[in-house]
Amino acid sequence: MQNVMERYQTFRQVVDDITLMNNRFMNKVFDGNIPATQRMLRVILKNDKIKVRKVSVQQWLQNLYGHSAQLDILAEDEHGTQFNVEIQRSDEGASVQRACFYCGALDMHFLDRGKKYEALPDAYVIFITESDVLKKGRPLYNIQRSIDETGEAFGDGSHIVYVNAACQDDTPLGRLMQDFNCNDPAKMHYKELADRVNYFKTSKEGEIDMTDIIEAYANNKAEKAAKEAVAKASHQRNVEVAKKMLADGMNLEAVVRYSDLSEEEVRALAAKQSA
């Protein structure tokens, strides 16, 4: 009985703490959710005329001859414009090369065989990042190709947008990022997002639908704990090796080199042995 209660308490803790900055949870909230997706895109792109007609998550863009892409959110508006939105919590996952690749993947996927190049729809790749990946101190970065000699836009319909989720000021975009980092739907600003978050956090049906997220969290936690245990055991072995080397009179440089400990750690061990 105790184990059941502990598991449920862990489950509730994860559900209570999780935010839209978790891409698995974001996928659930936005899957098929046209109002929330439309609100998000309108705020980020500062365009209240965007009308989303369909949205899906975890969409695979297959490339038979190279790297494929799995998109967090893929939406389409009434004009056929494609919007790919990605949550990235690490800087490595939001590299400029990845953004460029995703733009190309969208172009390859949405130009049908036999169609002229002019039929290629506009495409937006939007990275919502936990920190300021481009490190210019801005909440939003809009990137488009331009002609160097004139400064004019190239006009190829390709757009890359970086949203700095760390910027949570009192603006429409800042409030949206507050919502993405908020674990309480009652405190969220945008109703379209809050309603769906509330469903997953408070309803029995939502709890059931969250099971896979909890399992993934538990697996990640177990894997992390195992890695930490291995690292701790390895470090302890290195400490024992260093102690023996110091007891045999080896100099500090040699102990550091062969024990894989830092010089500070070895000096501390030497000080304890000589005390």
Coordinates of all heavy atoms in Angstrom, one line a residue, residues 28-97:
K28 N 1.4 17.3 -26.0 CA 0.1 16.9 -25.6 C -0.9 18.1 -25.6 O -2.0 18.0 -26.1 CB 0.1 16.3 -24.2 CG 0.7 14.8 -24.2 CD 0.4 14.2 -22.9 CE 0.8 12.7 -23.0 NZ 0.1 11.9 -24.0
V29 N -0.4 19.2 -25.1 CA -1.3 20.4 -25.0 C -1.6 20.9 -26.4 O -2.8 21.3 -26.6 CB -0.6 21.5 -24.2 CG1 -1.3 22.8 -24.3 CG2 -0.5 21.0 -22.7
F30 N -0.7 20.9 -27.4 CA -1.0 21.5 -28.7 C -1.5 20.5 -29.7 O -1.9 20.9 -30.8 CB 0.3 22.2 -29.2 CG 0.6 23.5 -28.5 CD1 1.4 23.5 -27.4 CD2 0.0 24.7 -28.9 CE1 1.7 24.7 -26.7 CE2 0.3 25.9 -28.3 CZ 1.1 25.9 -27.2
D31 N -1.4 19.2 -29.4 CA -1.9 18.2 -30.4 C -3.3 18.4 -30.8 O -4.2 18.3 -30.0 CB -1.7 16.8 -29.9 CG -1.8 15.7 -30.9 OD1 -1.8 16.1 -32.1 OD2 -2.0 14.6 -30.6
G32 N -3.5 18.8 -32.1 CA -4.9 19.1 -32.6 C -5.5 20.3 -32.0 O -6.7 20.5 -32.3
N33 N -4.8 21.1 -31.2 CA -5.4 22.2 -30.5 C -5.2 23.5 -31.3 O -4.2 24.2 -31.2 CB -4.7 22.4 -29.1 CG -5.4 23.4 -28.2 OD1 -6.2 24.2 -28.7 ND2 -5.1 23.3 -26.9
I34 N -6.1 23.7 -32.2 CA -6.0 24.9 -33.1 C -6.1 26.2 -32.4 O -5.2 27.1 -32.7 CB -7.1 24.8 -34.2 CG1 -6.8 23.7 -35.2 CG2 -7.2 26.1 -35.0 CD1 -7.8 23.4 -36.3
P35 N -7.0 26.4 -31.4 CA -7.0 27.7 -30.7 C -5.7 28.1 -30.0 O -5.2 29.2 -30.1 CB -8.1 27.6 -29.7 CG -9.0 26.5 -30.3 CD -8.1 25.6 -31.0
A36 N -5.1 27.1 -29.3 CA -3.8 27.4 -28.6 C -2.7 27.6 -29.6 O -1.9 28.5 -29.4 CB -3.5 26.2 -27.7
T37 N -2.6 26.8 -30.6 CA -1.6 27.0 -31.6 C -1.7 28.3 -32.3 O -0.7 29.0 -32.5 CB -1.6 25.8 -32.7 OG1 -1.6 24.6 -32.0 CG2 -0.5 26.0 -33.6
Q38 N -2.9 28.7 -32.7 CA -3.2 30.0 -33.3 C -2.8 31.1 -32.4 O -2.1 32.1 -32.9 CB -4.6 30.1 -33.7 CG -5.0 31.3 -34.5 CD -6.4 31.2 -35.1 OE1 -6.6 30.6 -36.1 NE2 -7.4 31.8 -34.4
R39 N -3.1 31.1 -31.2 CA -2.8 32.1 -30.2 C -1.2 32.2 -30.1 O -0.7 33.3 -30.1 CB -3.4 31.9 -28.8 CG -2.9 32.8 -27.7 CD -3.2 34.3 -28.1 NE -4.7 34.4 -28.4 CZ -5.2 35.5 -29.0 NH1 -4.4 36.5 -29.4 NH2 -6.5 35.6 -29.2
M40 N -0.6 31.1 -30.0 CA 0.9 31.1 -29.8 C 1.5 31.7 -31.1 O 2.4 32.6 -30.9 CB 1.4 29.7 -29.7 CG 2.9 29.5 -29.7 SD 3.5 27.8 -29.5 CE 2.8 27.1 -31.0
L41 N 1.1 31.3 -32.3 CA 1.7 31.9 -33.5 C 1.4 33.4 -33.7 O 2.3 34.1 -34.1 CB 1.2 31.1 -34.7 CG 1.7 29.6 -34.8 CD1 1.0 28.9 -35.9 CD2 3.2 29.5 -34.9
R42 N 0.2 33.8 -33.3 CA -0.1 35.2 -33.5 C 0.7 36.1 -32.6 O 1.1 37.1 -33.0 CB -1.6 35.4 -33.1 CG -2.6 34.9 -34.2 CD -4.0 35.1 -33.9 NE -4.9 34.8 -35.0 CZ -6.2 35.1 -35.0 NH1 -6.8 35.6 -33.9 NH2 -6.9 34.8 -36.1
V43 N 1.0 35.6 -31.3 CA 1.8 36.4 -30.4 C 3.2 36.4 -30.9 O 3.9 37.5 -30.9 CB 1.7 35.8 -29.0 CG1 2.7 36.5 -28.1 CG2 0.2 36.0 -28.4
I44 N 3.8 35.3 -31.2 CA 5.2 35.2 -31.6 C 5.5 36.0 -32.8 O 6.5 36.7 -32.9 CB 5.7 33.7 -31.7 CG1 5.7 33.0 -30.4 CG2 7.1 33.7 -32.4 CD1 6.0 31.5 -30.5
L45 N 4.6 35.8 -33.8 CA 4.8 36.5 -35.1 C 4.2 37.9 -35.2 O 4.2 38.5 -36.3 CB 4.3 35.6 -36.2 CG 5.1 34.2 -36.3 CD1 4.5 33.3 -37.4 CD2 6.6 34.4 -36.5
K46 N 3.5 38.3 -34.2 CA 2.8 39.6 -34.1 C 1.9 39.8 -35.3 O 1.9 40.8 -36.0 CB 3.9 40.7 -34.1 CG 4.8 40.7 -32.9 CD 5.8 41.8 -32.9 CE 6.7 41.7 -31.7 NZ 7.8 42.7 -31.7
N47 N 1.1 38.8 -35.5 CA 0.2 38.8 -36.7 C -1.2 38.1 -36.3 O -1.3 36.9 -36.2 CB 0.8 38.0 -37.8 CG -0.1 38.0 -39.1 OD1 -1.2 38.5 -39.1 ND2 0.4 37.4 -40.1
D48 N -2.2 39.0 -36.0 CA -3.5 38.5 -35.5 C -4.3 38.0 -36.7 O -5.5 37.6 -36.4 CB -4.2 39.6 -34.8 CG -3.7 39.9 -33.4 OD1 -3.0 38.9 -32.8 OD2 -3.9 41.0 -32.8
K49 N -3.8 38.0 -37.9 CA -4.6 37.5 -39.0 C -4.3 36.0 -39.3 O -4.9 35.4 -40.2 CB -4.3 38.3 -40.3 CG -4.7 39.8 -40.1 CD -4.5 40.6 -41.4 CE -5.0 42.0 -41.3 NZ -4.8 42.8 -42.5
I50 N -3.3 35.4 -38.6 CA -3.0 34.0 -38.8 C -4.2 33.2 -38.4 O -4.7 33.3 -37.3 CB -1.8 33.6 -38.0 CG1 -0.5 34.3 -38.5 CG2 -1.6 32.1 -38.1 CD1 0.7 34.0 -37.7
K51 N -4.7 32.3 -39.3 CA -5.8 31.4 -39.1 C -5.3 30.0 -39.3 O -5.2 29.5 -40.5 CB -7.0 31.7 -40.0 CG -7.6 33.1 -39.7 CD -8.9 33.3 -40.5 CE -9.5 34.7 -40.1 NZ -10.7 34.9 -41.0
V52 N -5.0 29.3 -38.2 CA -4.5 27.9 -38.3 C -5.7 27.0 -38.7 O -6.8 27.1 -38.1 CB -3.9 27.4 -37.0 CG1 -3.6 26.0 -37.0 CG2 -2.7 28.3 -36.6
R53 N -5.5 26.1 -39.7 CA -6.5 25.2 -40.1 C -6.3 23.7 -39.7 O -7.2 22.9 -39.6 CB -6.8 25.3 -41.6 CG -5.7 24.7 -42.5 CD -6.1 24.9 -43.9 NE -5.2 24.2 -44.9 CZ -5.4 23.0 -45.3 NH1 -6.4 22.3 -44.8 NH2 -4.5 22.4 -46.1
K54 N -5.0 23.4 -39.4 CA -4.7 22.1 -38.8 C -3.3 22.1 -38.1 O -2.5 23.0 -38.4 CB -4.7 21.0 -39.9 CG -3.6 21.2 -41.0 CD -3.7 20.0 -42.0 CE -2.6 20.1 -43.1 NZ -2.7 19.0 -44.1
V55 N -3.2 21.2 -37.1 CA -2.0 21.1 -36.3 C -1.8 19.7 -35.9 O -2.7 19.0 -35.6 CB -2.0 22.1 -35.1 CG1 -3.2 21.8 -34.2 CG2 -0.8 22.0 -34.3
S56 N -0.5 19.3 -35.9 CA -0.2 17.9 -35.5 C 1.2 18.0 -34.8 O 1.9 19.0 -34.9 CB -0.1 16.9 -36.7 OG 0.9 17.4 -37.6
V57 N 1.5 17.0 -34.0 CA 2.7 16.9 -33.3 C 3.5 15.7 -33.6 O 3.0 14.7 -34.2 CB 2.5 16.9 -31.7 CG1 1.7 18.2 -31.3 CG2 1.8 15.7 -31.3
Q58 N 4.8 15.7 -33.3 CA 5.7 14.6 -33.6 C 5.6 14.1 -35.0 O 5.5 12.9 -35.3 CB 5.4 13.5 -32.6 CG 5.8 13.8 -31.2 CD 7.3 14.0 -30.9 OE1 8.1 13.1 -31.0 NE2 7.6 15.3 -30.7
Q59 N 5.6 15.1 -36.0 CA 5.5 14.7 -37.4 C 6.9 14.4 -37.9 O 7.8 15.2 -37.8 CB 4.9 16.0 -38.1 CG 4.8 15.8 -39.6 CD 3.6 15.0 -40.0 OE1 2.6 15.1 -39.4 NE2 3.7 14.2 -41.1
W60 N 7.0 13.2 -38.6 CA 8.2 12.8 -39.2 C 8.3 13.3 -40.6 O 7.4 13.1 -41.4 CB 8.4 11.3 -39.2 CG 9.0 10.7 -37.9 CD1 8.4 10.2 -36.9 CD2 10.4 10.7 -37.6 NE1 9.3 9.8 -35.9 CE2 10.5 10.1 -36.3 CE3 11.5 11.2 -38.3 CZ2 11.8 10.0 -35.7 CZ3 12.8 11.0 -37.7 CH2 12.9 10.4 -36.4
L61 N 9.4 13.9 -41.0 CA 9.7 14.3 -42.3 C 10.8 13.4 -42.8 O 12.0 13.5 -42.5 CB 10.1 15.8 -42.5 CG 9.1 16.8 -42.0 CD1 9.6 18.2 -42.3 CD2 7.7 16.6 -42.5
Q62 N 10.4 12.3 -43.5 CA 11.4 11.3 -43.9 C 12.3 11.7 -45.1 O 11.8 12.3 -46.0 CB 10.6 10.0 -44.3 CG 9.8 9.4 -43.2 CD 10.7 8.7 -42.1 OE1 11.9 8.6 -42.3 NE2 10.1 8.2 -41.1
N63 N 13.5 11.4 -44.9 CA 14.5 11.6 -46.0 C 15.2 10.3 -46.3 O 15.9 9.8 -45.5 CB 15.5 12.7 -45.6 CG 16.6 12.9 -46.7 OD1 16.5 12.3 -47.7 ND2 17.5 13.8 -46.4
L64 N 14.9 9.7 -47.5 CA 15.4 8.4 -47.8 C 16.9 8.4 -48.0 O 17.5 7.3 -48.0 CB 14.6 7.8 -49.0 CG 13.1 7.6 -48.9 CD1 12.6 7.1 -50.2 CD2 12.8 6.6 -47.8
Y65 N 17.4 9.5 -48.3 CA 18.9 9.6 -48.7 C 19.7 10.3 -47.7 O 20.9 10.6 -47.9 CB 19.0 10.2 -50.0 CG 18.2 9.6 -51.1 CD1 17.0 10.1 -51.5 CD2 18.6 8.3 -51.7 CE1 16.2 9.5 -52.5 CE2 17.8 7.7 -52.6 CZ 16.6 8.3 -53.0 OH 15.9 7.7 -54.0
G66 N 19.1 10.6 -46.5 CA 19.9 11.4 -45.5 C 19.2 11.5 -44.2 O 18.3 10.7 -43.9
H67 N 19.5 12.5 -43.5 CA 18.9 12.7 -42.1 C 17.5 13.1 -42.2 O 17.1 13.9 -43.0 CB 19.7 13.8 -41.5 CG 19.5 13.9 -40.0 ND1 20.2 13.1 -39.1 CD2 18.7 14.7 -39.2 CE1 19.9 13.4 -37.9 NE2 19.0 14.3 -37.9
S68 N 16.6 12.5 -41.4 CA 15.2 12.8 -41.3 C 15.0 13.8 -40.1 O 15.9 14.0 -39.3 CB 14.4 11.5 -41.1 OG 14.5 10.7 -42.2
A69 N 13.8 14.3 -40.0 CA 13.5 15.3 -39.0 C 12.2 14.9 -38.3 O 11.2 14.6 -39.0 CB 13.4 16.7 -39.5
Q70 N 12.1 15.0 -37.0 CA 10.9 14.8 -36.2 C 10.5 16.1 -35.6 O 11.3 16.7 -34.8 CB 11.0 13.7 -35.2 CG 9.7 13.4 -34.5 CD 9.8 12.3 -33.4 OE1 10.9 12.1 -32.8 NE2 8.8 11.6 -33.3
L71 N 9.4 16.7 -36.0 CA 9.0 18.0 -35.6 C 8.1 18.0 -34.4 O 7.2 17.2 -34.3 CB 8.3 18.7 -36.7 CG 8.9 18.7 -38.1 CD1 8.1 19.5 -39.1 CD2 10.3 19.2 -38.1
D72 N 8.4 18.9 -33.4 CA 7.5 18.9 -32.2 C 6.1 19.3 -32.6 O 5.1 18.6 -32.3 CB 8.1 20.0 -31.2 CG 9.2 19.4 -30.4 OD1 9.4 18.2 -30.4 OD2 9.9 20.2 -29.7
I73 N 5.9 20.5 -33.2 CA 4.6 20.9 -33.7 C 4.7 21.3 -35.1 O 5.6 22.0 -35.5 CB 4.1 22.1 -32.9 CG1 4.0 21.8 -31.4 CG2 2.8 22.7 -33.4 CD1 3.6 23.0 -30.5
L74 N 3.7 20.9 -35.9 CA 3.6 21.3 -37.3 C 2.2 21.8 -37.6 O 1.3 21.1 -37.4 CB 4.0 20.2 -38.3 CG 3.9 20.5 -39.8 CD1 5.0 21.6 -40.1 CD2 4.2 19.3 -40.6
A75 N 2.1 23.1 -37.9 CA 0.8 23.7 -38.2 C 0.8 24.3 -39.6 O 1.8 24.6 -40.2 CB 0.5 24.8 -37.1
E76 N -0.5 24.4 -40.1 CA -0.7 25.0 -41.4 C -1.8 26.0 -41.3 O -2.8 25.8 -40.6 CB -1.0 23.9 -42.4 CG -1.2 24.4 -43.8 CD -1.5 23.3 -44.8 OE1 -0.8 22.2 -44.7 OE2 -2.4 23.4 -45.6
D77 N -1.6 27.2 -42.0 CA -2.7 28.1 -42.0 C -3.5 28.0 -43.3 O -3.3 27.2 -44.1 CB -2.2 29.6 -41.8 CG -1.5 30.1 -43.0 OD1 -1.4 29.5 -44.0 OD2 -1.0 31.3 -42.9
E78 N -4.5 28.9 -43.4 CA -5.5 28.9 -44.5 C -4.8 29.1 -45.9 O -5.4 28.7 -46.9 CB -6.6 29.9 -44.3 CG -6.1 31.3 -44.2 CD -7.2 32.3 -43.9 OE1 -8.4 31.9 -44.0 OE2 -6.9 33.5 -43.6
H79 N -3.6 29.7 -45.9 CA -2.9 29.9 -47.1 C -1.9 28.9 -47.4 O -1.2 29.0 -48.4 CB -2.2 31.3 -47.0 CG -3.1 32.4 -46.7 ND1 -4.1 32.8 -47.6 CD2 -3.2 33.3 -45.6 CE1 -4.8 33.9 -47.0 NE2 -4.2 34.1 -45.8
G80 N -1.8 27.8 -46.6 CA -0.8 26.8 -46.8 C 0.5 27.0 -46.2 O 1.4 26.2 -46.3
T81 N 0.7 28.2 -45.5 CA 2.0 28.4 -44.8 C 2.2 27.4 -43.7 O 1.3 27.1 -43.0 CB 2.0 29.8 -44.2 OG1 1.7 30.8 -45.2 CG2 3.3 30.2 -43.5
Q82 N 3.5 26.9 -43.7 CA 3.8 25.9 -42.7 C 4.5 26.5 -41.5 O 5.4 27.4 -41.7 CB 4.7 24.8 -43.4 CG 4.1 24.2 -44.6 CD 2.9 23.4 -44.2 OE1 2.8 22.7 -43.2 NE2 1.9 23.4 -45.1
F83 N 4.2 26.0 -40.3 CA 4.8 26.5 -39.1 C 5.3 25.4 -38.3 O 4.5 24.5 -37.9 CB 3.8 27.3 -38.2 CG 3.2 28.5 -38.9 CD1 2.0 28.3 -39.6 CD2 3.7 29.7 -38.9 CE1 1.3 29.3 -40.3 CE2 3.1 30.8 -39.5 CZ 1.9 30.6 -40.2
N84 N 6.6 25.3 -38.1 CA 7.2 24.3 -37.2 C 7.7 25.0 -35.9 O 8.5 25.9 -36.0 CB 8.4 23.6 -37.9 CG 9.3 22.8 -37.0 OD1 10.5 22.8 -37.2 ND2 8.7 22.1 -36.1
V85 N 7.2 24.5 -34.8 CA 7.6 25.0 -33.5 C 8.3 24.0 -32.7 O 7.8 22.9 -32.5 CB 6.4 25.5 -32.7 CG1 6.8 26.2 -31.4 CG2 5.6 26.5 -33.5
E86 N 9.5 24.3 -32.2 CA 10.3 23.4 -31.4 C 10.7 24.0 -30.1 O 11.0 25.1 -29.9 CB 11.7 23.1 -32.2 CG 11.5 22.5 -33.5 CD 11.1 21.0 -33.5 OE1 11.6 20.3 -32.6 OE2 10.3 20.6 -34.3
I87 N 10.5 23.1 -29.0 CA 11.0 23.5 -27.7 C 12.4 23.0 -27.5 O 12.7 21.8 -27.8 CB 10.1 22.9 -26.6 CG1 8.8 23.6 -26.5 CG2 10.8 22.9 -25.2 CD1 8.9 25.0 -25.9
Q88 N 13.4 23.8 -27.1 CA 14.7 23.4 -27.0 C 15.2 23.9 -25.6 O 15.3 25.1 -25.4 CB 15.6 23.9 -28.1 CG 15.3 23.3 -29.4 CD 15.6 21.8 -29.5 OE1 16.4 21.3 -28.8 NE2 14.9 21.2 -30.4
R89 N 15.6 23.0 -24.7 CA 16.1 23.4 -23.4 C 17.6 23.5 -23.3 O 18.2 24.0 -22.4 CB 15.6 22.4 -22.4 CG 14.1 22.2 -22.4 CD 13.5 21.6 -21.2 NE 13.5 22.5 -20.0 CZ 12.8 22.4 -18.9 NH1 12.0 21.3 -18.8 NH2 12.8 23.2 -18.0
S90 N 18.3 22.9 -24.4 CA 19.8 23.0 -24.4 C 20.2 23.8 -25.6 O 19.5 23.7 -26.7 CB 20.4 21.7 -24.4 OG 20.1 21.0 -25.6
D91 N 21.2 24.6 -25.5 CA 21.7 25.4 -26.6 C 22.1 24.5 -27.8 O 21.9 24.9 -29.0 CB 22.9 26.2 -26.2 CG 22.5 27.3 -25.2 OD1 21.3 27.4 -24.9 OD2 23.4 28.1 -24.8
E92 N 22.6 23.3 -27.6 CA 23.1 22.5 -28.6 C 21.9 22.1 -29.5 O 22.1 21.8 -30.7 CB 23.7 21.2 -28.1 CG 25.1 21.4 -27.4 CD 24.9 22.0 -25.9 OE1 23.7 22.0 -25.5 OE2 25.9 22.3 -25.3
G93 N 20.7 21.9 -29.0 CA 19.6 21.5 -29.7 C 19.0 22.6 -30.6 O 18.0 22.3 -31.4
A94 N 19.4 23.8 -30.5 CA 18.9 24.9 -31.2 C 19.9 25.6 -32.1 O 19.9 26.8 -32.2 CB 18.2 25.9 -30.3
S95 N 20.9 24.9 -32.6 CA 21.9 25.4 -33.4 C 21.4 26.0 -34.7 O 20.3 25.6 -35.2 CB 23.0 24.4 -33.7 OG 22.4 23.4 -34.6
V96 N 22.1 27.0 -35.2 CA 21.7 27.6 -36.5 C 21.7 26.6 -37.6 O 20.8 26.7 -38.5 CB 22.6 28.8 -36.8 CG1 22.4 29.9 -35.8 CG2 24.0 28.4 -37.0
Q97 N 22.5 25.6 -37.6 CA 22.6 24.6 -38.6 C 21.3 23.7 -38.6 O 20.8 23.4 -39.6 CB 23.8 23.7 -38.4 CG 25.1 24.4 -38.7 CD 25.7 25.2 -37.6 OE1 25.1 25.2 -36.5 NE2 26.8 25.9 -37.8

